């Protein structure tokens, strides 16, 4: 009985951390882009399913091409390169093209115009993904099947979810080092405070804008690539991810890395415990949490911008 209870709580905890990892990778990019560029981009969430769809195609093509000929280590390395490097790089390149053509004209507009325009873009991106991948749910469980599962009292749990948590923790640590210790990171933070002063120092702020935008898109694509091996993806999920990404933004605070980490962990745990104990209220609990935070601290847990 006690072992069963411990096992249940451990599974809920791991599910919460795994969910938080996906939300962190998606929400942090959105928070960085809004906090640094003052650009409220609803379409940001569409880059997560785009990364997942691309990951599915690459995984299936790899399995068809090489199958088991590479062995465990060789195939695992290939999967890591595809999901952690190739997918974020390709989706970032697509995002960079869209930044120059579709998003750049929206910079400087009021938030409501940006919301309406980027909502139209997310619908167009969804239609494009339906056209390319036929709108059918996709999955690619080969990476997760390769790693297998570990045993818990009363069940098993996939190693891939643990890997997702570890990779996301590494990404969070790298981002923290980037913003706190590197010159480019400190310039980026300074731009969020006073971009005009940074430009007077002779720094190419447009170049910084592009770098932050690409980092944000790469994080969303990585979230999709890591999410796919233990789940399926449909284009309609982009709208659900939009809501969750904005929950991270609102609860954590605009442009705050610490806020994104805290909000992702909190929402991930609320969703995991909600899904286990009161599944019909899973999303409602997230909205309730968001409302409570807005009532107590409208700028979010770590936000410093006046609401």
């Amino acid at each position: 009985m006690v072992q069963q209870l411990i096992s249940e709580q451990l599974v809920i905890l791991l599910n919460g951390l795994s969910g938080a990892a996906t939300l962190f990778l998606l929400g942090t990019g959105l928070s960085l882009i809004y906090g640094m560029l003052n650009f409220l981009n609803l379409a940001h969430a569409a880059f997560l399913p785009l990364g997942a769809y691309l990951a599915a195609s690459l995984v299936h093509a790899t399995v068809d091409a090489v199958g088991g000929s590479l062995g465990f280590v060789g195939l695992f390395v290939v999967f890591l390169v595809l999901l952690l490097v190739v997918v974020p790089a390709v989706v970032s390149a697509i995002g960079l093209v869209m930044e120059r053509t579709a998003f750049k004209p929206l910079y400087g507009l009021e938030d409501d115009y940006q919301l309406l325009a980027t909502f139209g873009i997310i619908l167009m991106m969804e239609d494009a993904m339906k056209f390319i991948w036929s709108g059918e749910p996709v999955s690619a469980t080969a990476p997760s099947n390769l790693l297998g599962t570990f045993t818990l009292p009363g069940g098993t749990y996939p190693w891939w979810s643990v890997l997702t948590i570890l990779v996301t923790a590494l990404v969070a640590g790298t981002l923290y080092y980037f913003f706190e210790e590197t010159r480019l990171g400190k310039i980026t933070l300074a731009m969020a405070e006073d971009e005009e002063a940074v430009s007077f120092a002779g720094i190419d702020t447009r170049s910084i804008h592009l770098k932050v935008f690409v980092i944000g898109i790469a994080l969303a694509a990585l979230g999709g690539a890591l999410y796919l091996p233990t789940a399926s993806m449909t284009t309609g999920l982009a709208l659900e991810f939009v809501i969750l990404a904005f929950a991270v933004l609102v609860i954590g605070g605009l442009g705050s890395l610490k806020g994104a980490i805290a909000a992702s962990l909190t929402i991930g745990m609320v969703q995991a415990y909600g899904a286990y104990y009161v599944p019909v209220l899973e999303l409602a609990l997230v909205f309730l949490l968001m409302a409570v935070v807005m009532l107590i601290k409208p700028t979010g847990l770590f936000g410093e911008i006046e609401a």
Side-chain angles (χ1 to χ4, degrees), residues 114-199:
Q114 291 180 348
L115 283 172
L116 288 172
T118 55
F119 185 72
I121 293 173
I122 196 173
L123 294 179
M124 288 189 287
M125 291 179 68
E126 285 216 328
D127 282 345
M129 285 186 276
K130 287 178 184 175
F131 177 77
I132 296 172
W133 285 282
S134 304
E136 298 294 330
V138 298
S139 62
T141 58
S144 181
N145 293 339
L146 185 67
L147 286 183
T149 60
F150 61 93
T151 302
L152 292 170
T156 60
Y157 200 82
W159 278 112
W160 185 264
S161 295
V162 177
L163 178 67
T164 297
I165 295 168
L166 294 177
V167 169
T168 304
L170 179 62
V171 170
T174 303
L175 286 174
Y176 184 81
Y177 176 83
F178 171 76
F179 286 113
E180 296 294 329
E181 302 296 335
T182 68
R183 180 175 177 273
L184 179 59
K186 291 177 180 177
I187 291 173
T188 304
L189 293 177
M191 281 178 57
E193 297 292 331
D194 191 343
E195 181 174 340
E196 191 175 7
V198 174
S199 63

Side-chain angles (χ1 to χ4, degrees), residues 27-38 175 179 188 212 215-216 219 249 255-257:
T28 299
L30 180 65
S31 182
L32 287 176
I33 290 172
Y34 185 76
M36 309 301 170
L37 311 185
N38 196 29
L175 286 174
F179 286 113
T188 304
V212 170
I215 289 173
L219 291 175
L249 199 70
S256 170
L257 181 60

Side-chain angles (χ1 to χ4, degrees), residues 110 178 265:
E110 297 291 332
F178 171 76
L265 284 172

Side-chain angles (χ1 to χ4, degrees), residues 43-55 58 82-83 85-99 103 125 129 133 213-214 216-225:
H44 181 80
F47 291 98
L48 188 145
L50 179 58
Y53 272 105
L54 179 61
L58 291 174
L82 290 176
L83 301 181
V85 179
V86 176
V87 169
V90 173
V91 175
S92 294
I94 296 171
L96 188 58
V97 172
M98 293 183 65
E99 196 276 341
F103 297 132
M125 291 179 68
M129 285 186 276
W133 285 282
F213 192 89
V214 168
I217 298 300
L219 291 175
L222 178 62

Side-chain angles (χ1 to χ4, degrees), residues 214 240 266 285:
V214 168
E240 182 176 327
T266 304
L285 291 174

